[in-house]
Amino acid sequence: MKTGITFGTFDMFHYGHLRILQRARALCDRLVVGVSSDEFIASKNKSHGLAFPYEQRAAIVAELRCVDEVFKEECEEKKADYVREHKADVFIIGADYEGRFDWLKEACGVEVVYLPRTPGVSTTALMGKTGGKK
Ligand code: CTP
């Protein structure tokens, strides 16, 4: 049984989110997803803020057929702990993070895979279109 782990905000859930989760699940037998907490996002100072709170973002992700488990990601520093806790064999993330998590290979012995982003869609762009919260 190969366990995969991935992370994200998944605000204003869109097709790019669905595709990365489906492609991540294709690389493992069980997919665990860390959804960023509201506090974690606030601490990152994302200029556009969040459209939806953690409970709603996590509820959507948890309902997907390609997702086996969802947990709350509280901060960046715990990445390696989360990987170990969930006994992940493979860490998957979009190529916008290329190279940023290579250190996990040595820290946790996990395989690290960057998948190409789905072109033409992002929460930031959607926020602009809908006049999302500032
Ligand atoms: N992702 C993707 N293709 C997209 C958008 C996101 O593959 N078009 C992936 C990201 O690479 C990440 C995961 O989806 O692995 C969660 O990304 P998240 O930051 O929540 O979504 P974005 O739409 O990228 O949000 P933002 O524009 O605020 O960065």
Side-chain angles (χ1 to χ4, degrees):
M1 164 80 80
K2 188 170 177 179
T3 298
I5 193 165
T6 190
F7 294 85
T9 309
F10 304 105
D11 195 20
M12 300 178 80
F13 197 89
H14 59 65
Y15 187 66
H17 294 150
L18 177 65
R19 288 295 300 142
I20 196 142
L21 294 172
Q22 288 176 328
R23 287 178 295 155
R25 182 62 173 74
L27 299 176
C28 57
D29 305 303
R30 178 176 162 262
L31 183 64
V32 180
V33 184
V35 176
S36 318
S37 71
D38 298 343
E39 297 74 18
F40 178 30
I41 296 304
S43 76
K44 285 209 248 184
N45 244 331
K46 275 210 171 185
S47 57
H48 56 61
L50 279 168
F52 298 107
Y54 171 81
E55 284 69 24
Q56 295 180 22
R57 291 180 287 113
I60 292 169
V61 174
E63 203 61 28
L64 300 171
R65 204 184 301 156
C66 54
V67 172
D68 297 283
E69 194 183 328
V70 165
F71 69 95
K72 191 186 274 190
E73 182 193 22
E74 284 171 338
C75 64
E76 189 69 43
E77 294 69 31
K78 283 194 184 167
K79 273 279 182 332
D81 294 337
Y82 293 133
V83 168
R84 289 189 201 104
E85 233 169 75
H86 293 279
K87 300 189 176 16
D89 302 292
V90 55
F91 173 99
I92 305 129
I93 197 92
D96 37 334
Y97 296 96
E98 186 83 52
R100 230 172 89 186
F101 294 105
D102 287 352
W103 62 276
L104 284 170
K105 290 180 202 168
E106 220 159 278
C108 317
V110 73
E111 182 189 348
V112 177
V113 176
Y114 302 97
L115 293 177
R117 275 174 73 90
T118 300
V121 61
S122 84
T123 301
T124 306
L126 284 170
M127 284 275 191
K129 278 187 196 159
T130 58
K133 279 188 206 167
K134 294 284 170 217

